[in-house]
């Protein structure tokens, strides 16, 4: 299996074949059409279509990809044109144009945002594909999202950055639903200034606002602090940033 990264968000590859015969597994179909993708999110399902539905889960399916360019394939869904509640479509099966990609959304907060704003998709510019959307009726479950505003709110090409000032508590760096399908998350810290701090510098990540998980160590090769995370499931409440109170700088998160 070969993986590629490109455009604004998604990884993809090729494998064995798939068929529309499995559509019943995804729930009730509410959208199906041929789409020409853009790197800017565009609405395919309106809020009005979703507003009165009781939704336990949403599934977005992409198949029959046709692309003559040389850029890497990627596909993603989000709840508005600003990439909110973005979720990448992962390769499932198929080879070449028959490759199948899926994303399933189950978190109640994210589903509420999709119902309020509609479903938007983006992908490799000028690629065309068959896109379908399904839902399963029921009540969605909360994922544990605290409702806090993350330091990094948007990502481009799987990377986002923000300025920070370390406070007395761990701050939400990135929401879990943003990176929950990633195989690896890399956190780097640069341009550190002492600010109002007094003491030895240190940075760490936590699983909530008060729980330490791992130190972000100084990395000689990048002249900054760096940490790689491979088990994203441990951060179901989000990835939190902590350190010596008063330090300022820039934090960057990238994921594959």
């Amino acid at each position: 299996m070969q993986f590629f990264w490109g455009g604004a968000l998604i990884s993809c590859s090729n494998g064995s074949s798939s068929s529309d015969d499995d559509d019943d597994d995804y729930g009730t179909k509410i959208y199906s059409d041929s789409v020409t993708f853009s790197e800017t999110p565009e609405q395919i399902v309106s809020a009005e279509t979703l507003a009165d539905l009781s939704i336990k889960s949403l599934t977005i399916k992409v198949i029959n990809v046709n692309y003559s360019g040389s850029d890497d394939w990627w596909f993603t869904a989000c709840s508005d044109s600003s990439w909110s509640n973005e979720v990448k479509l992962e390769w499932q099966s198929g080879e070449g144009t028959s490759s199948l990609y899926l994303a399933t959304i189950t978190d109640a907060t994210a589903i509420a945002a999709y119902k309020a704003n509609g479903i938007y998709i983006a992908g490799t510019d000028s690629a065309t594909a068959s896109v379908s959307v399904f839902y399963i009726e029921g009540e969605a479950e909360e994922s544990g999202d605290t409702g806090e505003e993350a330091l990094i709110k948007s990502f481009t090409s799987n990377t986002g950055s923000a300025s920070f000032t370390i406070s007395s508590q761990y701050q939400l760096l990135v929401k879990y639903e943003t990176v929950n399908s990633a195989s690896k998350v890399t956190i780097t810290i640069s341009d550190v200034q002492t600010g109002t701090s007094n003491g030895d510098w240190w940075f760490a990540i936590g699983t909530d606002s008060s729980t330490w998980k791992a130190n972000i160590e100084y990395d000689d090769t990048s002249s900054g602090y760096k940490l790689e995370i491979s088990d994203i499931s441990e951060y179901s409440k989000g990835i939190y940033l902590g350190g010596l109170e008063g330090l300022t700088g820039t934090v960057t998160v990238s994921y594959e």
Side-chain angles (χ1 to χ4, degrees), residues 92-249:
Q92 302 294 318
S93 62
E95 296 182 354
T97 59
S98 297
S99 295
L100 167 67
Y101 303 88
L102 291 177
T104 298
I105 303 155
T106 59
D107 174 62
T109 302
I111 288 176
Y114 280 90
K115 290 181 68 174
N117 301 304
I119 298 173
Y120 290 69
I121 58 172
T124 303
D125 194 41
S126 300
T128 62
S130 299
V131 179
S132 301
V133 177
F134 308 81
Y135 83 100
I136 292 177
E137 186 174 2
E139 185 175 349
E141 298 181 359
E142 294 287 350
S143 68
D145 189 345
T146 62
E148 298 172 76
E149 186 175 9
L151 284 173
I152 301 179
K153 305 175 184 63
S154 62
F155 287 77
T156 302
S157 299
N158 297 30
T159 300
S161 298
S163 299
F164 68 84
T165 299
I166 298 297
S167 67
S168 58
Q169 287 189 314
Y170 286 82
Q171 303 167 74
L172 180 60
L173 175 60
V174 58
K175 290 188 175 183
Y176 176 67
E177 58 262 32
T178 302
V179 295
N180 62 353
S181 298
S183 59
K184 182 175 72 173
V185 174
T186 301
I187 300 169
T188 56
I189 292 175
S190 59
D191 304 322
V192 180
Q193 304 294 323
T194 56
T196 60
S197 63
N198 183 19
D200 295 332
W201 293 7
W202 64 273
F203 296 100
I205 55 169
T207 54
D208 57 37
S209 61
S210 60
T211 306
W212 173 91
K213 180 61 181 177
N215 288 330
I216 307 173
E217 303 288 357
Y218 186 78
D219 179 55
D220 290 331
T221 61
S222 62
S223 297
Y225 293 79
K226 183 177 180 180
L227 175 70
E228 293 183 348
I229 302 171
S230 57
D231 190 355
I232 309 304
S233 63
E234 297 180 347
Y235 299 87
S236 60
K237 295 181 179 180
I239 300 174
Y240 285 72
L241 174 67
L244 179 64
E245 187 172 359
L247 289 177
T248 65

Side-chain angles (χ1 to χ4, degrees), residues 37-96:
F37 284 87
S38 167
E39 293 186 0
T40 300
E42 297 179 352
Q43 189 182 75
I44 59 169
V45 179
S46 68
E48 289 76 13
T49 300
L50 302 172
D52 295 330
L53 299 178
S54 175
I55 300 175
K56 183 177 182 179
S57 68
L58 284 168
T59 297
I60 299 96
K61 172 185 176 182
V62 169
I63 199 169
N64 299 327
V65 180
N66 189 347
Y67 179 62
S68 59
S70 58
D71 293 339
D72 301 333
W73 292 4
W74 62 272
F75 308 103
T76 186
C78 45
S79 62
D80 57 35
S81 60
S82 300
W83 303 94
S84 300
N85 299 291
E86 57 191 351
V87 57
K88 61 183 178 180
L89 276 71
E90 300 283 2
W91 174 87
Q92 302 294 318
S93 62
E95 296 182 354

